Amino acid sequence: QIATADIWAALGRGGSAAAAATTTTSNATAEKNERSRNCCRFEDADLITTFPDYRVPQILRHVRVMRYASELANSVDGKVELEEGGLDEVSIRAGTVVAVEGIVRKVKELILSNGDG
């Protein structure tokens, strides 16, 4: 999450400083700089709610937002490494996104119902 935010801030926003810098460089360099900025221009950055790393599901499970099936819970609690890209890992990552989306939706509903939004 932090890395994505840093990349977006450094390359995705463009802005006048970046445009001014390209006027003093060669056309090829300016074109390369523009491509770099465009590849990181996240037009929908405000829609991103979470990246399903390992820490977010740990927290969601700890606060009982997420629950794992007994077999998966035993594996995780026993510190058994999950297969990269395996069903268990992908399920946890997908569940993380679904859970965070639900939290965001509920927070937005509360804000709107309180007249704060």
Side-chain angles (χ1 to χ4, degrees):
Q1 292 165 325
I2 294 168
T4 301
D6 288 346
I7 291 168
W8 178 67
L11 301 174
R13 292 182 183 185
S16 59
T22 60
T23 60
T24 61
T25 60
S26 71
N27 285 341
T29 302
E31 189 174 310
K32 182 179 177 184
N33 290 343
E34 183 62 24
R35 280 196 311 269
S36 295
R37 282 191 301 278
N38 285 338
C39 79
C40 298
R41 188 170 285 142
F42 305 119
E43 300 295 335
D44 57 355
D46 59 322
L47 301 177
I48 297 172
T49 55
T50 192
F51 290 91
D53 61 4
Y54 73 96
R55 196 69 183 132
V56 176
Q58 286 177 337
I59 294 166
L60 293 174
R61 185 173 180 226
H62 178 76
V63 297
R64 299 182 183 199
V65 170
M66 288 180 65
R67 287 183 283 173
Y68 299 164
S70 297
E71 189 175 321
L72 177 57
N74 290 337
S75 294
V76 170
D77 294 341
K79 300 192 184 335
V80 174
E81 189 171 333
L82 301 179
E83 177 187 350
E84 185 178 337
L87 182 60
D88 288 338
E89 182 200 22
V90 172
S91 296
I92 290 173
R93 291 181 187 278
T96 299
V97 172
V98 170
V100 171
E101 290 289 334
I103 292 168
V104 169
R105 184 176 55 252
K106 186 63 178 174
V107 168
K108 286 180 179 179
E109 288 172 8
L110 290 170
I111 290 170
L112 290 174
S113 69
N114 288 329
D116 295 338

